Amino acid sequence: LEGTRTWPGADQDGVLAAIGTIGDLVPLTGENRTLVVHGLKLLSSMPSGPLKDFADQVRGESSAALTSTDVAFRVVPRINASGRIDHPDVALKALLDGGEHLEQLHGFNVTRQEMSAQLTKRALEIVDSSRPFLCVAHEEFHPGVVGLIASALTEQFGRPSLAASVKDGIATASLRSIPQVHLAEYLAAPDVAPLLIKHGGHARAAGCTFRAEHTEAIGEALSARMRAAGIEGDALRPTLRLEAVLADG
């Protein structure tokens, strides 16, 4: 980035760094912004190879350069779909070798979209939306899309949520949150942590595993912490954050 060093494959590494930075949902400021701006410029001028083929597949008929929004909503989901539906190695091979592996990624992404829509609909049918902290677990849920289900619930209801896949009595959950609720702190709380097998994450996104029989208790404990903090009622509504007001004309 300082222009003083180079190495074989440096341009490809710059593109991958940009994709990874965007995919990790970090603020695009400071050095993160530098990585993304630099990587997107390199992406628009990539020579023939798997990365260019991947970008062309995502771009389709458009001749416009891919933006950070394109990467976030069209590139990253394709890469992630590999691990959600099959095995992450397919995404790695697609980026290294291209060819049939790129087609597999596209197929996985379509499957992921269809599965996510179907299971989110099921979650909306069974979730108790009266709780401050939404909690839903089911054997039908695929572990690869529980994060997408949780995101959909949080977006629709404006509340933190936990969605879990259950197999052999063990629930594997993904959580998404709102600005008022720090997930990592909630999961580590003395009334929640003992109910979990393991947990990790940060303020807005986290994961945990627990015995399925504890689902109700975990949902209530998380909701109780929100009530104790006064985060309920009118404080829990879907919001849209506006960064600026545009004048007419």
Side-chain angles (χ1 to χ4, degrees), residues 33-56:
R33 184 176 183 84
T34 302
L35 283 169
V36 170
V37 170
H38 183 69
L40 290 179
K41 287 180 179 177
L42 293 172
L43 182 59
S44 66
S45 59
M46 285 292 295
S48 296
L51 266 179
K52 183 179 187 303
D53 293 342
F54 186 25
D56 289 344

Side-chain angles (χ1 to χ4, degrees), residues 4-211:
T4 58
R5 295 177 56 204
T6 188
W7 60 90
D11 287 355
Q12 176 175 289
D13 290 346
V15 172
L16 293 175
I19 294 173
T21 301
I22 295 169
D24 206 28
L25 300 178
V26 295
L28 297 188
T29 58
E31 60 188 19
N32 290 337
R33 184 176 183 84
T34 302
L35 283 169
V36 170
V37 170
H38 183 69
L40 290 179
K41 287 180 179 177
L42 293 172
L43 182 59
S44 66
S45 59
M46 285 292 295
S48 296
L51 266 179
K52 183 179 187 303
D53 293 342
F54 186 25
D56 289 344
Q57 184 186 65
V58 172
R59 189 182 294 111
E61 299 298 323
S62 173
S63 59
L66 294 179
T67 65
S68 59
T69 299
D70 293 323
V71 173
F73 291 98
R74 300 169 66 194
V75 173
V76 171
R78 280 175 164 79
I79 295 174
N80 285 344
S82 175
R84 294 184 189 280
I85 303 302
D86 192 86
H87 195 284
D89 277 357
V90 178
L92 178 62
K93 291 175 182 177
L95 296 178
L96 292 176
D97 304 326
E100 63 178 312
H101 302 298
L102 283 177
E103 295 305 316
Q104 279 186 282
L105 272 193
H106 176 70
F108 289 156
N109 191 49
V110 172
T111 300
R112 187 269 308 171
Q113 290 172 326
E114 294 172 347
M115 183 183 298
S116 177
Q118 177 184 352
L119 296 181
T120 296
K121 180 180 179 182
R122 178 65 175 141
L124 290 169
E125 293 171 350
I126 62 177
V127 70
D128 180 0
S129 59
S130 66
R131 274 181 168 170
F133 203 116
L134 305 179
C135 186
V136 61
H138 204 284
E139 290 84 355
E140 291 181 17
F141 295 166
H142 190 287
V145 299
V146 288
L148 303 177
I149 295 172
S151 293
L153 292 174
T154 294
E155 182 177 352
Q156 176 152 338
F157 294 103
R159 301 168 184 236
S161 62
L162 177 155
S165 169
V166 178
K167 183 177 181 181
D168 298 330
I170 300 297
T172 302
S174 188
L175 299 88
R176 297 295 182 269
S177 196
I178 56 178
Q180 304 99 304
V181 174
H182 193 297
L183 288 177
E185 293 179 356
Y186 270 53
L187 293 178
D191 54 338
V192 179
L195 297 170
L196 307 176
I197 297 172
K198 61 180 180 179
H199 61 88
H202 50 81
R204 300 293 291 274
C208 64
T209 58
F210 52 89
R211 296 195 63 80

